[in-house]
Amino acid sequence: MFEKVIAQEKAKKILSEQIRNNKIPHAYIFVGESGTGKMMTAIEFAKILNCEINDYTKSNFGPCNHCSSCEHIQNKTFPDLHIINFEKQDEIVEKDYEKGKAKLGIKLIRYMQEKVYIKSTNAKWKIFIIEPAEKMTIEAFNCLLKTLEEPPDNTIIILIAKHKETIPVTICSRVQTVFFQPLKNEEVQAYLQNKHFMPKNTAENIAQISDGSIEKAETLMLNTQNEYSTLWKELTLKKLPIVDILLKSKSVSTSRDKALETVSIITENATKSFRQNPLKYVNIIERLLESKKYLEKNANPTNVLDNLFLYINSKI
Ligand SMILES: [Zn+2]
């Protein structure tokens, strides 16, 4: 039912059962570190409830992902899906000094309440997602409390927060808590390999320092890719002094894994260049594949990369 959400079996089970039994609370708080799938779950939840094809009251199936509701919710253009966040706050306040605030204020919650009590267009459910809920001011929380005490029908408010302790008890006692756990390293690794086609070694290295967060893993992935595409550009743009090439090689051959990761990502860059100019890059690609084999056969990483980088730069 929540196929797009990675892991989080407990959270999925709670929500799926409530959907299946048609016993859906009017408010939730999704609690967990960033990058654990809270927002994605909220969006999938909104799709399941509003899908025009798959009726959750009759079937166990998830959203169809193709009807107008599913598409609009995915693109966040659905008229009855409201994301209440800093971006929205800056959009609705009129004066410049009210923009860029560090807290979500009462004006934003009043704006939300207007939308809560306006009759829905034709959606089955109106969904409000407040993120990051812990950034609300005390006045904003008190204002929200009124809505939680008298919730209108077919309206769901989802608060998204990193820690429950940052939310007043009066709010927590009126909402259903759903916890999101940090992902396991293997789960992050599988995501990077399947979604981003990342080589196994690199995915494994990034997963180990991602703290179980997809968001952090994707940021690390971009940094790694930028680092290597800079290295590739440097090696292929102009002839470099030999000593500079050897220094670059040394910095990325500190271990066999690092050397293999370097060769894998440089191969991706080389493949892109090969498509534009096959004749120029064919030998480099062959040399990259050979280097990978040597590394896998326990050759000394620094020697392999010294030779590889000198070869690449000599072909420019
Ligand atoms: Zn649909």
Side-chain angles (χ1 to χ4, degrees):
M1 204 179 248
F2 288 92
E3 283 90 359
K4 286 195 176 180
V5 180
I6 306 162
Q8 309 303 350
E9 298 312 322
K10 261 192 190 167
K12 288 180 191 173
K13 189 164 180 253
I14 294 171
L15 297 173
S16 303
E17 278 178 10
Q18 289 173 338
I19 294 169
R20 210 164 283 143
N21 299 328
N22 202 11
K23 285 198 173 138
I24 298 160
H26 63 86
Y28 289 91
I29 178 164
F30 288 0
V31 180
E33 287 298 333
S34 56
T36 49
K38 303 183 300 294
M39 180 56 92
M40 175 159 301
T41 304
I43 296 291
E44 289 303 293
F45 192 41
K47 279 201 245 167
I48 293 167
L49 296 178
N50 282 302
C51 182
E52 293 157 23
I53 311 279
N54 288 336
D55 184 349
Y56 70 92
T57 58
K58 290 181 188 142
S59 76
N60 294 341
F61 298 113
C64 77
N65 284 317
H66 301 294
C67 71
S68 160
S69 292
C70 283
E71 281 186 355
H72 279 298
I73 291 171
Q74 185 64 45
N75 299 330
K76 316 229 169 82
T77 50
F78 191 66
D80 286 300
L81 169 71
H82 299 271
I83 314 262
I84 307 297
N85 56 10
F86 283 109
E87 219 178 320
K88 180 56 78 180
Q89 178 161 270
D90 283 351
E91 194 185 306
I92 60 160
V93 293
E94 285 154 15
K95 304 195 176 77
D96 276 351
Y97 72 87
E98 291 179 303
K99 297 187 195 290
K101 288 256 165 91
K103 288 274 187 180
L104 297 175
I106 191 165
K107 269 194 180 175
L108 180 66
I109 301 304
R110 288 205 180 116
Y111 160 86
M112 183 189 103
Q113 282 169 331
E114 276 174 31
K115 304 283 172 198
V116 165
Y117 294 106
I118 288 173
K119 208 175 167 324
S120 158
T121 48
N122 52 11
K124 296 180 211 168
W125 288 85
K126 272 206 258 187
I127 316 277
F128 295 83
I129 302 172
I130 307 179
E131 193 215 15
E134 61 264 58
K135 294 288 181 189
M136 289 163 72
T137 61
I138 294 294
E139 296 78 42
F141 275 124
N142 286 337
C143 185
L144 173 69
L145 203 53
K146 289 182 199 126
T147 310
L148 295 178
E149 281 165 349
E150 297 160 25
D153 289 343
N154 291 15
T155 297
I156 296 176
I157 297 171
I158 302 173
L159 286 82
I160 292 187
K162 280 191 186 173
H163 306 285
K164 201 175 172 183
E165 303 74 52
T166 51
I167 309 295
V169 179
T170 43
I171 298 275
C172 289
S173 63
R174 287 178 172 82
V175 302
Q176 155 108 46
T177 306
V178 182
F179 287 104
F180 287 71
Q181 307 300 331
L183 274 74
K184 292 184 187 131
N185 287 352
E186 319 70 282
E187 289 162 346
V188 176
Q189 184 188 331
Y191 172 82
L192 293 173
Q193 286 182 247
N194 299 334
K195 174 90 191 286
H196 295 291
F197 308 105
M198 187 177 271
K200 185 167 174 268
N201 277 329
T202 318
E204 199 175 351
N205 292 341
I206 289 184
Q208 275 167 8
I209 49 169
S210 68
D211 296 328
S213 161
I214 291 291
E215 195 179 316
K216 190 168 174 190
E218 286 183 328
T219 308
L220 288 164
M221 179 189 81
L222 286 179
N223 292 346
T224 309
Q225 283 169 347
N226 288 341
E227 190 189 316
Y228 286 115
S229 70
T230 307
L231 175 63
W232 170 249
K233 274 187 202 143
E234 285 171 345
L235 286 173
T236 52
L237 264 182
K238 61 175 176 25
K239 287 265 189 284
L240 294 172
I242 290 179
V243 66
D244 283 3
I245 299 176
L246 297 180
L247 277 174
K248 286 183 197 310
S249 156
K250 197 177 169 198
S251 71
V252 287
S253 58
T254 46
S255 70
R256 188 170 309 281
D257 280 351
K258 178 89 178 159
L260 272 166
E261 178 182 324
T262 305
V263 172
S264 294
I265 302 183
I266 288 191
T267 307
E268 281 176 33
N269 284 295
T271 309
K272 281 181 206 153
S273 303
F274 172 80
R275 291 208 178 96
Q276 288 159 4
N277 189 346
L279 269 181
K280 186 174 174 187
Y281 291 98
V282 64
N283 292 332
I284 292 179
I285 299 261
E286 277 173 7
R287 193 66 175 246
L288 279 159
L289 297 175
E290 259 174 41
S291 303
K292 184 169 180 261
K293 274 189 203 152
Y294 289 140
L295 286 169
E296 284 166 350
K297 282 182 189 160
N298 290 336
N300 178 298
T302 312
N303 289 349
V304 175
L305 289 198
D306 280 353
N307 286 325
L308 173 68
F309 287 6
L310 288 168
Y311 179 81
I312 294 175
N313 197 240
S314 74
K315 290 284 164 194
I316 299 312

